[in-house]
Amino acid sequence: MIIRRLTAEERLTHSFPLQAYAFEASPMGPGRVEQFREYLPYNAGNRTLVVEEDGGTMAAVSAVPMRQNLRGRVLPMAGVAGVATHPLARRRGHVRALLHQLLDEMRAEEHSLTALYPFRASFYERFGYVGLPARRTAVFSPADLAPLLRAELPGEVVWERIGAGYPAWRAFTERCLQDRHGFAVFPDFRAVGLRDRDDRWLLTVVRDGETVGAVTYRIDDHGGELIADDLLAGDPYARASLLQFFARHVDQVDRVRVQLPADELPELWLTDLAVHVEARVSRPGSPAPMARLLSLDALAGLPAGTGRVTVELVGDRWLAGTHLLDGTGRLEVLPGDAAAVGTVPTATLTAAGLSALAYGVLDPAEVAIRGLGVVPVDAATELRRIFPRQLPYLFADF
């Protein structure tokens, strides 16, 4: 077995066909191979590793160099994608070997976080990943938004094709990256695919010269659906302006379908809004994202509540040893012997357990219940203070 990194052109014959078999209708149509060439610019900066045996590609995995907000700090994040194995080579440890090498390399390049959309969550939990909230889908009639047509809202609504409005869209997602926990964005070489496809409308809300809300969307047919991607709103006024625009389509579409972060509550947007809200997680097909810390450097300097706890990290390739977490407004990660023995509560955590606390998705008690660590009551109290619950929103879909 040989693991090596592909050149850009080699993706056409080595990784893309394998990924297409795993994630698309199969067998491929005659024109599909040539379509792969169109993808090359949007994969230019990816790191793609393959396992080869006897000259054939047995498995492939890629990492997209991204950035993610972790509790207010924007850090380099490796987005793991395109994990695929030849059907005759599955369950032979190829993906495990590839992930170990890929994450070793990304960590060496100072990517302190990593995220992915799993084919099976339990498989990646063994690699230290923990689940993040899935985005919600809300479906409703534009007629139910009629009360918003009477609302006087601040700012201006700008409507254009995404190809023309892409710079404003990209700039606004960069702002969201700075402001929103868990938010992740693609590198420029990948993000411009949205501009180049130019298959969406872009709606932005501009107030005092600043974009405060945005959404991309398309309409499938007259009398059909207005299908919106993630609704990004900086405040309730911006959200209301976006919904007000949707209300004007009452005689054009039957339904509006929009993607939402997990903390949005559309049932509270308006009185008498009949809305179906769903977060669908299935295997295979519709996974919720997962993420993990690749380095303890990700924790240093994070906003943190007042608390002190010693954590012993076990069972992981990248996070290990005993460390003192000292939260005094900003988190310090110190050697475990920095605290006198017996004076600071101690918890034993797996990488998934520590990642769950850092991302704010599990309470310390839930970490223990899930078998991701041993957390005594006194240690749980300190960990809650250091890592208060906070709902992450990944945004990027890869």
Side-chain angles (χ1 to χ4, degrees):
M1 182 181 74
I2 298 173
I3 295 178
R4 71 179 183 92
R5 183 177 179 180
L6 295 184
T7 65
E9 284 288 325
E10 285 180 313
R11 293 190 178 106
L12 295 174
T13 52
H14 290 64
S15 62
F16 285 172
L18 203 60
Q19 291 160 5
Y21 180 83
F23 302 112
E24 300 179 12
S26 189
M28 294 185 296
R32 185 64 177 129
V33 174
E34 188 54 36
Q35 289 176 346
F36 290 156
R37 188 170 296 277
E38 300 174 12
Y39 300 158
L40 284 180
Y42 311 116
N43 290 266
N46 290 0
R47 182 180 299 265
T48 300
L49 304 181
V50 295
V51 167
E52 292 181 333
E53 290 180 352
D54 300 323
T57 303
M58 297 293 103
V61 63
S62 293
V64 186
M66 300 172 66
R67 290 168 293 143
Q68 185 179 30
N69 182 312
L70 182 68
R71 293 185 180 268
R73 286 186 66 207
V74 176
L75 299 166
M77 185 269 276
V80 176
V83 180
T85 307
H86 191 289
L88 294 179
R90 293 174 179 172
R91 298 183 181 274
R92 288 168 50 190
H94 292 327
V95 169
R96 177 178 295 276
L98 283 173
L99 278 175
H100 280 164
Q101 180 156 329
L102 182 72
L103 295 180
D104 280 349
E105 294 179 9
M106 298 306 287
R107 187 176 186 270
E109 295 182 1
E110 299 186 345
H111 288 77
S112 53
L113 305 173
T114 174
L116 51 76
Y117 288 83
F119 63 84
R120 183 185 294 270
S122 58
F123 176 85
Y124 287 102
E125 187 177 82
R126 295 194 292 271
F127 287 89
Y129 286 87
V130 68
L132 304 184
R135 56 166 52 89
R136 270 54 175 157
T137 301
V139 182
F140 47 86
S141 168
D144 285 354
L145 301 177
L148 287 174
L149 294 173
R150 299 188 296 271
E152 293 289 337
L153 300 170
E156 173 192 7
V157 173
V158 180
W159 177 66
E160 56 194 331
R161 290 281 288 264
I162 184 60
Y166 175 79
W169 167 257
R170 179 66 169 173
F172 185 60
T173 58
E174 289 282 348
R175 270 195 54 208
C176 294
L177 173 66
Q178 300 297 322
D179 297 340
R180 185 143 197 171
H181 170 54
F183 204 91
V185 297
F186 289 124
D188 288 338
F189 69 80
R190 172 72 173 263
V192 294
L194 181 64
R195 176 199 66 193
D196 296 346
R197 291 189 300 274
D198 198 21
D199 59 357
R200 297 286 196 276
W201 293 105
L202 171 64
L203 187 67
T204 53
V205 181
V206 180
R207 192 184 310 143
D208 299 325
E210 182 180 16
T211 300
V212 293
V215 65
T216 56
Y217 74 93
R218 62 185 178 87
I219 295 173
D220 65 357
D221 204 353
H222 182 75
E225 287 190 340
L226 186 158
I227 304 167
D229 302 307
D230 296 66
L231 190 78
L232 302 178
D235 57 44
Y237 289 111
R239 182 183 64 210
S241 293
L242 298 174
L243 295 175
Q244 186 184 69
F245 178 86
F246 292 161
R248 298 191 179 104
H249 292 72
V250 63
D251 297 317
Q252 183 178 354
V253 300
D254 179 61
R255 296 174 303 280
V256 174
R257 181 181 300 270
V258 61
Q259 304 293 318
L260 301 169
D263 60 356
E264 274 285 7
L265 301 174
E267 63 271 25
L268 303 182
W269 286 348
L270 288 167
T271 304
D272 292 335
L273 174 64
V275 59
H276 177 86
V277 184
E278 179 181 62
R280 184 173 183 269
V281 177
S282 63
R283 188 186 75 246
S286 299
M290 303 182 80
R292 64 156 289 166
L293 308 180
L294 266 182
S295 168
L296 288 177
D297 292 341
L299 297 181
L302 285 184
T306 300
R308 299 182 85 225
V309 63
T310 300
V311 294
E312 181 186 1
L313 300 174
V314 297
D316 188 65
R317 183 183 182 92
W318 300 284
L319 303 182
T322 301
H323 309 271
L324 174 67
L325 304 184
D326 190 359
T328 54
R330 293 288 173 181
L331 185 58
E332 288 188 85
V333 181
L334 305 169
D337 58 7
V341 176
T343 63
V344 177
T346 298
T348 301
L349 298 173
T350 63
L354 180 61
S355 298
L357 297 171
Y359 277 96
V361 292
L362 294 181
D363 181 83
E366 293 173 308
V367 168
I369 291 168
R370 292 271 296 272
L372 304 179
V374 178
V375 188
V377 173
D378 56 354
T381 299
E382 299 299 309
L383 287 167
R384 286 189 191 98
R385 293 172 180 159
I386 295 171
F387 298 114
R389 290 292 290 269
Q390 194 170 356
L391 206 59
Y393 171 39
L394 184 60
F395 174 65
D397 196 352
F398 50 92

